[in-house]
């Protein structure tokens, strides 16, 4: 079997780790195709335990010995500040941990390991991808005018050039990020999610620096207002800021039988709870099911659409109770997210709630997290308790 | 169903966590203990199964509850002085184990049990005189009463009589001297440092460090041991405040009789290398759970399984020791010889080696549990200790240090 992975951002590297370890039978090859002149999008990333496991399986990464290679720190959960009167933590279920890491270093580290670990199974083609198209019996990738044939291609080339074949969430929560890098080590062990007047801010600790991302909605808040709050939060009148605007979307078709979209090519929401990494991992697992004959293209697409819907609903769930700020952003967003969860079309959310309640009332049924909106019933209860929601009260 | 767990040391609390989390609805889990009995506590290391069982039973997670147990994350074991190059035995990334203060465990767990499990969890305080299988039920005899249960997990610590136990001769160490340093431990592995007279563990807690110097009192005198400890900590023997624990290795001939499961030190005691006792406690609980769910058919199968596990533990210790350390001393000369003898013509060990070799297929490894470890982990041990039991293979990944 011949597999190509296009792109070497975090999703591309995860896809390489996963396919090298799991998908290829004897004699198979995995080819990384990327354009070295394309800069990856990097801030300092947070991850879930599955990322650590994937990196271990594909690149022999182990935190104890290799943390310095990725500036990595351990992540034991997320700390929510100013979302409610009392700050709270959402810890990972012991004994699992994630890491915070420097994704600018990820490619070099992994490529070195891939070559040593997987030998000729792993290869690299550098160049600009002119096109990637599905044929009946294979997928064709044209790189710098030269055509290559693969059984499957995982497309992780980042933001789609056009969003025609995507579901775009026009009226989502935040759509703009200002990143402030502090050149001091981060000494805490959780991802900080701090509510602000105009949205929220993540704080990621790396061994050499801290990455802070101030998220806001540019339809509600001006850049000047956002910068003003950053200046105040960091007591710095002249912060050096990097700027990212983004749309929230997910693909209508993730997989056509030959080409699988992953990473930002498949899905982009905002960074709440590092759910993007979870989505990438889920995509790869469903792909494994497909390649091993356990599912078909339609089911794979349905499952990924449901996963995207679940993440979307979770983000509404998180926001719809507001924060400690009584501001324009929070008033608008609270109302918007509450509506999203209540409208007639929110069928998936109603099913999720029903299944969570069923899982609470009947733990012996072992209802899977596919049915309970991707979190276990215990974590949903914890979310609800911390956020002061009463969705599950009567069943506790 | 009514289940009793007798004793509140680490094994007792693990048993309570397991039963509260996994026993069917309408089960009552009763902790029976004598508040006058002190638990044996040093500062403990664990395998990754421990935080998992603690999470299931108490909702424990490290960011929230580390202070309550003085706990730090453990990502592996650092071996110092066992070979020319020090090395790590790494827990598979994605999971951590814990270092914790077991003096604080009971209070933390009981508080959480009461909050989480309400009436499912009950306690009886009193002096336990005996536990007995009465056929249709098991009895716990207290000073003034008899309590009847469907299942009793006996975690009362060291046996009072060893007639129903296999005493293991020629285990390398049998004596521990514990030294506490009232400063936080800032590392994230359990240290296993080979010494002239045995080895020493180092456990980092949030508020202090626990160091345990292990030696064999038939080879080394207490004075020699204390002298080396003083040397290691750069002090004089008179300034050391040492606690002393002599021990003898053993495991039960019968772990389970259909009503009573021995667990913790009541079931088995070897030594603290790699915190494997905790792994045994967990496996004992899983095995009995499998018995009740029909996966493990019959009491004999439960005992066979746990006996095999005990023998695998014993063999692993000899496997570690028989290659010696960087020290060329009387202790190491003696134990390399006795441990090598123990492995020689040892059918179970031969089976383990054969099974690992069967999983090395060209440049690939078939990953499966063999004895205590998965195939990959056996390969790791082999590489790091420089042994040559196994066929040529592609090398290890767990400890691998890339250039």
């Amino acid at each position: 079997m011949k597999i190509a992975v296009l792109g070497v951002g975090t999703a591309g590297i995860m896809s390489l780790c996963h396919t090298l370890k799991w998908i290829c039978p004897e004699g198979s090859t995995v080819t990384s195709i990327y354009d070295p002149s394309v800069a990856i999008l990097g801030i300092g990333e947070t991850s879930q335990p599955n990322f650590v496991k994937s990196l271990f399986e594909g690149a022999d990464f182990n935190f104890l010995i290799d943390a310095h290679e990725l500036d990595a720190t351990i992540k034991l959960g997320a700390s929510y500040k100013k979302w409610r009167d009392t700050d709270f933590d959402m810890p990972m279920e012991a004994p699992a941990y994630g890491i915070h890491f420097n994704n600018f270093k990820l490619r070099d580290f992994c490529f070195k390991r891939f070559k040593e670990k997987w030998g000729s199974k792993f290869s690299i083609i550098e160049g600009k991808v002119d096109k990637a198209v599905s044929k009946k019996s294979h997928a064709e990738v044209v790189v710098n005018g030269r055509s290559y044939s693969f059984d499957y291609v995982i497309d992780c080339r980042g933001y789609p050039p056009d969003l025609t074949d995507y579901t775009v969430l026009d009226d989502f929560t935040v759509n703009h990020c200002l990143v402030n890098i502090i050149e001091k080590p981060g000494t805490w062990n959780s991802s900080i999610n701090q509510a602000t007047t105009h949205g929220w801010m993540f704080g990621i600790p790396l061994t050499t620096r801290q990455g802070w991302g101030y998220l806001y909605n540019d339809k509600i808040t001006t850049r000047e207002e956002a910068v003003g709050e950053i200046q105040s939060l960091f007591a710095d009148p002249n912060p050096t800021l990097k700027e990212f605007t983004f749309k929230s979307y997910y693909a209508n078709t993730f997989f056509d039988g030959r080409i699988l979209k992953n990473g930002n090519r498949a899905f982009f929401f905002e960074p709440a709870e590092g759910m993007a990494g979870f989505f990438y991992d889920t995509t790869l697992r469903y792909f494994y099911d497909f390649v091993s004959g356990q599912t078909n293209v339609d089911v794979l697409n349905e499952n990924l659409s449901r996963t995207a819907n679940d993440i979307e609903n979770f983000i509404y769930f998180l926001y719809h109770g507001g924060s400690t700020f009584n501001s324009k952003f929070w008033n608008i967003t609270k109302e918007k997210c509450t509506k999203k969860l209540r409208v007639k079309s929110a069928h998936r959310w109603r099913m999720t709630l029903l299944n969570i309640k069923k899982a609470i009332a009947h733990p012996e049924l072992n209802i899977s997290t596919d049915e309970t909106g991707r979190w276990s019933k215990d974590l949903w209860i914890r979310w609800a308790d911390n956020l002061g929601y009463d969705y599950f009260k009567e069943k506790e | 169903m009514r289940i009793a767990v007798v004793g509140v040391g680490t094994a007792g609390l693990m048993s309570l966590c397991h039963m509260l989390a996994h026993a069917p609805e309408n089960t009552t889990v009763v902790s029976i203990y004598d508040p006058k009995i002190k638990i044996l506590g040093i500062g403990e290391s664990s395998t990754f199964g421990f935080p998992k069982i603690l999470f299931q039973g108490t909702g424990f997670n490290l960011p929230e509850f580390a202070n309550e147990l003085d706990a730090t994350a453990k990502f592996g074991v650092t071996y110092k002085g066992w070979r020319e190059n020090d090395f790590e035995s790494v827990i598979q990334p994605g999971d951590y184990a814990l270092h914790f203060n077991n003096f604080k465990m009971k209070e933390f767990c009981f508080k959480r049990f009461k909050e989480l499990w309400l009436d499912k969890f009950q306690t009886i305080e009193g002096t336990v005189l005996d536990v007995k299988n009465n056929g249709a039920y098991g009895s716990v005899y207290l000073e003034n009463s008899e309590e009847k249960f469907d299942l009793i997990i006996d975690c009362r610590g060291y046996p009072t009589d060893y007639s129903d136990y296999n005493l293991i001769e020629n285990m390398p160490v049998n004596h521990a001297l514990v030294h506490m340093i009232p400063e936080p431990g800032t590392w994230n592995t359990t240290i296993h440092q080979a010494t002239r007279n045995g080895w020493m563990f180092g456990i980092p807690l949030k508020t202090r460090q626990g160091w345990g110097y292990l030696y064999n009192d038939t080879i080394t005198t207490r004075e020699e041991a204390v002298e080396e400890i003083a040397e290691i900590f750069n002090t004089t023997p008179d300034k050391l405040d040492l606690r002393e624990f002599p021990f003898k290795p053993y495991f039960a001939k019968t772990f389970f009789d259909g009503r009573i499961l021995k667990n913790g030190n009541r079931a088995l005691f070897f030594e603290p290398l790699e915190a494997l006792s905790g792994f045994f406690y967990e496996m004992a609980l899983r095995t009995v759970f499998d018995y009740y769910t029909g996966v493990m058919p019959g009491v004999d199968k439960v005992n066979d399984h746990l006996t095999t596990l005990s023998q695998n533990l014993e063999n692993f210790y000899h496997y570690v020791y028989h290659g010696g350390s960087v020290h060329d001393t009387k202790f190491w000369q003696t134990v390399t010889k006795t441990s090598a003898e123990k492995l020689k013509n040892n059918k179970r060990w031969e089976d383990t080696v054969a099974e690992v070799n069967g999983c090395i297929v060209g440049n690939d490894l078939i990953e499966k549990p063999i004895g205590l470890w998965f195939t990959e982990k056996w390969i790791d041990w082999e590489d790091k200790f420089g042994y040559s039991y196994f066929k040529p293979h592609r090398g290890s990944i767990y400890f691998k240090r890339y250039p």
Side-chain angles (χ1 to χ4, degrees):
Chain A
M1 187 182 293
K2 287 174 72 182
I3 291 181
V5 176
L6 313 184
V8 287
T10 302
I13 295 293
M14 282 178 77
S15 301
L16 287 166
C17 285
H18 189 87
T19 46
L20 282 163
K21 170 70 181 173
W22 292 111
I23 289 185
C24 293
E26 188 74 25
S28 299
T29 59
V30 177
T31 305
S32 169
I33 302 177
Y34 75 103
D35 182 347
S37 66
V38 173
I40 61 158
L41 184 64
I43 297 164
E45 278 195 42
T46 184
S47 70
Q48 305 280 350
N50 288 341
F51 175 75
V52 184
K53 288 190 173 156
S54 182
L55 215 51
F56 165 69
E57 289 166 350
D60 294 355
F61 173 84
N62 86 64
F63 181 77
L64 189 58
I65 294 171
D66 300 319
H68 66 283
E69 299 261 15
L70 299 179
D71 291 350
T73 65
I74 188 172
K75 174 185 171 182
L76 296 172
S79 296
Y80 282 80
K81 295 174 185 287
K82 301 193 174 182
W83 288 73
R84 293 295 180 272
D85 288 332
T86 305
D87 293 344
F88 62 89
D89 292 324
M90 283 304 300
M92 289 175 177
E93 293 187 354
Y97 66 90
I99 57 172
H100 306 106
F101 65 100
N102 180 345
N103 56 351
F104 283 113
K105 292 187 163 187
L106 193 61
R107 188 200 72 193
D108 286 350
F109 169 77
C110 285
F111 271 27
K112 193 175 70 176
R113 290 287 172 89
F114 290 159
K115 286 173 192 167
E116 292 185 54
K117 184 177 168 77
W118 300 106
S120 59
K121 190 173 186 178
F122 171 67
S123 62
I124 301 168
I125 298 172
E126 289 188 359
K128 184 175 175 297
V129 174
D130 301 318
K131 66 173 180 177
V133 286
S134 292
K135 309 278 183 180
K136 196 171 179 187
S137 61
H138 66 282
E140 183 193 12
V141 182
V142 179
V143 184
N144 290 345
R146 188 173 165 191
S147 175
Y148 298 87
S149 173
F150 298 94
D151 294 295
Y152 300 105
V153 169
I154 304 177
D155 186 354
C156 307
R157 284 178 293 164
Y159 297 126
D162 89 75
L163 291 168
T164 316
D165 188 32
Y166 289 79
T167 299
V168 180
L169 309 176
D170 278 330
D171 201 18
F172 209 48
T173 49
V174 291
N175 64 8
H176 214 116
C177 183
L178 293 169
V179 173
N180 188 17
I181 302 294
I182 306 280
E183 298 295 341
K184 277 194 286 188
T187 54
W188 59 98
N189 283 322
S190 59
S191 299
I192 290 174
N193 294 349
Q194 179 174 338
T196 63
T197 312
H198 306 297
W200 66 280
M201 181 172 70
F202 62 77
I204 293 176
L206 299 182
T207 54
T208 56
R209 60 182 170 82
Q210 303 167 21
W212 294 89
Y214 182 98
L215 295 142
Y216 67 101
N217 188 318
D218 59 21
K219 289 179 186 162
I220 303 171
T221 302
T222 65
R223 190 181 187 282
E224 289 65 37
E225 286 170 325
V227 171
E229 189 168 27
I230 294 171
Q231 288 167 331
S232 160
L233 285 166
F234 290 95
D236 179 358
N238 295 303
T240 307
L241 301 173
K242 282 198 290 178
E243 193 160 354
F244 303 92
T245 53
F246 54 86
K247 287 184 179 171
S248 299
Y249 59 83
Y250 57 91
N252 293 337
T253 309
F254 294 94
F255 185 48
D256 64 7
R258 291 289 163 196
I259 298 178
L260 174 75
K261 296 185 181 87
N262 201 3
N264 293 347
R265 201 64 156 201
F267 161 102
F268 190 88
F269 287 154
E270 58 151 274
E273 275 294 316
M275 296 300 280
F278 168 77
F279 185 88
Y280 308 160
D281 187 64
T282 304
T283 301
L284 294 165
R285 286 167 187 262
Y286 286 136
F287 181 56
Y288 175 86
D289 290 347
F290 171 81
V291 171
S292 57
Q294 297 171 60
T295 192
N296 60 43
V297 174
D298 290 341
V299 172
L300 187 151
N301 280 310
E302 277 170 30
N303 284 340
L304 286 176
S305 292
R306 276 210 296 268
T307 306
N309 288 157
D310 285 339
I311 295 173
E312 182 187 351
N313 286 337
F314 169 71
I315 291 171
Y316 296 139
F317 172 84
L318 182 63
Y319 277 85
H320 86 295
S323 76
T324 56
F325 295 91
N326 181 16
S327 60
K328 191 175 168 193
F329 169 84
W330 283 104
N331 291 333
I332 291 172
T333 307
K334 257 167 70 172
E335 194 186 330
K336 183 163 65 188
C337 292
T338 304
K339 266 189 199 162
K340 291 276 187 185
L341 293 178
R342 286 188 184 159
V343 290
K344 278 188 181 170
S345 58
H347 173 70
R348 178 79 186 157
W349 175 241
R350 281 196 297 279
M351 288 306 295
T352 297
L353 286 178
L354 280 174
N355 286 331
I356 297 166
K357 288 175 181 176
K358 199 159 128 191
I360 293 167
H362 301 286
E364 72 281 4
L365 295 177
N366 288 322
I367 295 172
S368 94
T369 52
D370 288 349
E371 303 305 318
T372 57
R374 312 296 149 183
W375 300 100
S376 68
K377 67 173 171 47
D378 294 326
L379 281 172
W380 276 115
I381 290 171
R382 194 174 179 118
W383 278 114
D385 281 351
N386 283 330
L387 291 165
Y389 299 143
D390 58 3
Y391 286 101
F392 318 119
K393 274 278 189 252
E394 75 275 21
K395 294 289 182 188
E396 279 176 58
Chain B
M1 193 173 186
R2 200 161 182 246
I3 298 173
V5 176
V6 186
V8 287
T10 302
L13 293 166
M14 283 175 75
S15 303
L16 288 165
C17 284
H18 186 89
M19 290 301 156
L20 285 164
H22 297 296
E25 259 191 289
N26 304 321
T27 300
T28 308
V29 180
V30 183
S31 170
I32 304 177
Y33 70 102
D34 184 346
K36 294 195 294 290
I37 294 179
K38 286 184 180 163
I39 62 157
L40 185 66
I42 297 166
E44 277 194 45
S45 182
S46 65
T47 58
F48 72 89
F50 178 74
K52 191 169 193 169
I53 208 170
L54 206 55
F55 168 75
Q56 290 166 344
T58 69
F60 173 88
N61 62 74
L62 199 54
E64 197 171 4
F65 298 115
N67 288 338
E68 301 217 28
L69 295 183
D70 215 2
T72 64
K74 169 186 169 181
F75 296 111
V77 173
T78 302
Y79 284 80
K80 294 173 183 267
W82 291 75
R83 293 295 181 273
E84 291 303 327
N85 294 317
D86 295 343
F87 60 88
E88 293 89 8
S89 150
V90 176
I91 293 169
Q92 184 157 317
D95 290 334
Y96 60 83
L98 284 183
H99 304 109
F100 63 100
N101 181 342
N102 56 353
F103 283 113
K104 295 187 165 192
M105 273 278 285
K106 194 205 101 188
E107 198 183 337
F108 169 75
C109 287
F110 272 33
K111 190 178 78 179
R112 298 289 296 170
F113 291 158
K114 286 170 190 166
E115 286 169 1
L116 291 173
W117 301 106
L118 309 174
D119 291 343
K120 189 174 184 179
F121 172 66
Q122 294 173 8
T123 58
I124 297 174
E125 290 188 1
T127 303
V128 175
L129 303 177
D130 200 7
V131 297
K132 197 174 169 190
N133 181 347
N134 285 316
Y137 57 90
S139 293
V140 177
Y141 296 98
L142 292 134
E143 275 176 324
N144 300 315
S145 64
E146 176 192 357
E147 297 284 337
K148 295 175 183 174
F149 297 94
D150 299 292
L151 170 66
I152 297 167
I153 304 175
D154 185 358
C155 305
R156 283 179 294 162
Y158 296 125
T160 47
D161 158 15
Y162 288 88
S163 50
D164 189 33
Y165 287 82
N166 295 299
L167 292 170
I168 317 290
E169 288 179 5
N170 288 331
M171 283 301 281
V173 292
N174 65 5
H175 215 116
L177 291 169
V178 173
H179 177 55
M180 297 291 186
I181 296 181
E183 288 168 24
T186 53
W187 60 98
N188 280 320
T189 57
T190 306
I191 291 172
H192 284 18
Q193 180 173 343
T195 64
R196 291 197 296 270
N197 302 309
W199 67 279
M200 184 172 71
F201 62 77
I203 293 176
L205 299 182
K206 280 183 80 94
T207 60
R208 61 179 170 82
Q209 303 167 19
W211 295 89
Y213 182 97
L214 295 141
Y215 66 103
N216 188 316
D217 59 20
T218 66
I219 302 172
T220 302
T221 65
R222 190 183 189 281
E223 289 68 36
E224 287 169 327
V226 172
E227 194 179 314
E228 191 176 20
I229 299 171
E231 202 178 294
I232 291 168
F233 290 103
N234 200 22
T235 185
T236 53
D238 57 304
K239 289 189 178 145
L240 291 169
D241 179 20
L242 300 172
R243 285 194 297 157
E244 193 162 352
F245 302 93
F247 55 87
K248 52 180 169 188
Y250 58 84
F251 62 88
K253 286 179 183 162
T254 310
F255 293 95
F256 183 55
D257 66 5
R259 290 287 169 203
I260 300 170
L261 170 73
K262 296 185 182 89
N263 204 1
N265 292 347
R266 204 62 160 197
L268 154 149
F269 191 89
F270 281 119
E271 62 152 279
L273 192 90
E274 283 280 332
L276 289 169
S277 302
F279 172 70
F280 180 91
Y281 307 161
E282 189 193 338
M283 293 311 292
L285 294 163
R286 284 168 184 252
T287 307
V288 163
F289 188 81
D290 287 348
Y291 166 79
Y292 277 98
T293 54
V295 176
M296 185 67 70
V299 171
D300 290 347
K301 288 280 180 199
V302 172
N303 282 307
D304 287 349
H305 185 73
L306 295 177
T307 301
T308 301
L309 185 57
S310 306
Q311 289 167 345
N312 284 333
L313 278 170
E314 184 187 350
N315 287 342
F316 178 70
Y317 296 124
H318 290 304
Y319 173 78
V320 169
Y321 280 97
H322 87 296
S325 76
V326 296
H327 301 279
D328 183 17
T329 57
K330 191 177 168 195
F331 171 84
W332 286 103
Q333 285 162 10
T334 307
V335 303
T336 49
K337 202 172 150 195
T338 51
S339 287
E341 281 295 321
K342 287 272 194 175
L343 293 178
K344 206 171 156 187
N345 301 322
N346 176 327
K347 179 72 170 60
R348 183 159 307 288
W349 177 242
E350 284 170 3
D351 288 349
T352 300
V353 173
E355 208 172 342
V356 174
N357 277 328
C359 289
I360 301 170
V361 184
N363 211 27
D364 278 336
L365 287 182
I366 300 166
E367 183 74 333
K368 69 172 193 179
I370 302 168
L372 297 182
W373 311 101
F374 276 75
T375 321
E376 289 267 14
K377 187 75 174 175
W378 277 115
I379 299 296
D380 299 336
W381 290 119
E382 179 92 338
D383 285 355
K384 290 303 177 221
F385 282 118
Y387 296 141
S388 51
Y389 282 97
F390 308 137
K391 291 195 299 195
H393 50 78
R394 61 140 159 84
S396 73
I397 57 171
Y398 283 83
F399 303 156
K400 193 166 182 175
R401 277 194 180 276
Y402 286 80

